[in-house]
Amino acid sequence: MKRNILFALLLLNVTYVISACATPVTYSAEPIEAWIVNADTKQPLEGVIVVAHWALEGGIHVDRVGELVILETVTDQNGRFYFPAWGPIRHWKRSRLTNMDPELLILKSGYEHKRLANPSTKEAIEGKPYPVRRLVWNGKTIGLKPFKGTVEEYAEHVYWLGSDISLMLDLARGDKECNWRKIPRMLVALNNVSRHVEDQGVRLFGRHILRIEDIPSGRGCGSPEEILWGKQP
């Protein structure tokens, strides 16, 4: 009897702690506008694919546990890209935004890809709920360097961007949120680079750059092959 009472009290205490941690936080974000140029010539680059994602982290080891917002766009003839403001979004505080609020993933075929995020500050690491999230690269010019290595080196280089995208979409657990539908241009571009380097005889020792066929067809998400095929340039 005592054991049952102690177990019930322990369960009640755990429930209380979980409930106390699950307090809502409201997040919003400022718009983002920036320009991308060739780092050598300083000329604007059109058609650069830019993904912005606001990653949520949580757990004992502060691991990535999901995405609050994912957006995608491409640069215009002036190299400009733009993401609108969003929010407010009410989020339960079992996970939080940190310095990837957002992180930018940038790709143009033949150039070095980029990953850009806010600096890792003490406040960002602690996940303090700023009322409005902003990116330090807003209003700035970003240079992309033409890739000057071999085809094999380029394949390896782009492979790691594909790995970042796979992690962002949580493909290892099936992308239950259907987030792949939010970045069609990036996924098609990675697929095309993967096929192109393979056609040139490049193999990455049992690995390959992320392809459309690697995206799971989750319930209610539709077919990646059918949907992304229409996004081919």
Side-chain angles (χ1 to χ4, degrees):
M1 184 66 176
K2 284 186 178 180
R3 183 174 298 176
N4 291 339
I5 293 173
L6 288 173
F7 177 76
L9 289 173
L10 178 61
L11 183 62
L12 181 63
N13 184 57
V14 169
T15 303
Y16 173 78
V17 170
I18 291 173
S19 299
C21 291
T23 54
V25 175
T26 299
Y27 288 124
S28 298
E30 293 182 348
I32 300 170
E33 180 183 37
W35 290 261
I36 299 182
V37 301
N38 182 309
D40 294 341
T41 67
K42 309 305 178 185
Q43 293 300 305
L45 292 176
E46 184 177 3
V48 181
I49 301 167
V50 186
V51 169
H53 70 113
W54 287 257
L56 293 165
E57 296 186 347
I60 296 174
H61 302 292
V62 194
D63 297 320
R64 189 181 300 182
V65 296
E67 299 289 333
L68 186 64
V69 174
I70 300 175
L71 300 173
E72 180 189 69
T73 191
V74 293
T75 56
D76 62 18
Q77 62 183 0
N78 298 312
R80 173 184 177 268
F81 70 88
Y82 176 81
F83 290 110
W86 56 260
I89 294 177
R90 201 177 191 197
H91 177 68
W92 293 94
K93 201 180 178 182
R94 289 177 186 167
S95 60
R96 61 188 183 273
L97 295 178
T98 55
N99 67 304
M100 286 194 288
D101 60 343
E103 178 186 53
L104 299 184
L105 301 173
I106 303 172
L107 175 67
K108 184 173 178 62
S109 181
Y111 287 79
E112 296 180 7
H113 67 75
K114 272 189 179 291
R115 300 167 69 250
L116 300 173
N118 287 325
S120 247
T121 62
K122 180 177 181 290
E123 292 76 15
I125 292 170
E126 293 175 353
K128 294 194 174 177
Y130 301 113
V132 181
R133 318 302 284 193
R134 58 180 56 92
L135 180 68
V136 296
W137 293 91
N138 184 47
K140 297 184 179 180
T141 298
I142 301 165
L144 291 189
K145 295 181 179 180
F147 194 88
K148 298 179 180 178
T150 65
V151 176
E152 289 81 2
E153 290 169 338
Y154 183 67
E156 185 74 22
H157 178 70
V158 177
Y159 169 81
W160 291 111
L161 175 62
S163 294
D164 290 336
I165 295 293
S166 180
L167 178 62
M168 183 187 77
L169 298 180
D170 200 14
L171 294 186
R173 290 188 288 183
D175 187 15
K176 298 175 183 177
E177 301 298 321
C178 305
N179 282 325
W180 64 266
R181 295 181 65 119
K182 300 173 184 177
I183 57 167
R185 299 180 186 91
M186 178 65 79
L187 293 173
V188 168
L190 288 170
N191 180 80
N192 290 344
V193 172
S194 183
R195 299 297 183 186
H196 177 69
V197 299
E198 188 176 86
D199 288 345
Q200 297 186 62
V202 175
R203 299 290 185 274
L204 294 177
F205 302 103
R207 302 169 293 154
H208 58 252
I209 299 168
L210 185 63
R211 299 175 183 168
I212 292 174
E213 65 199 49
D214 299 324
I215 303 166
S217 297
R219 182 178 300 176
C221 297
S223 166
E225 290 82 1
E226 293 179 4
I227 293 171
L228 296 177
W229 182 258
K231 305 294 184 181
Q232 291 283 347

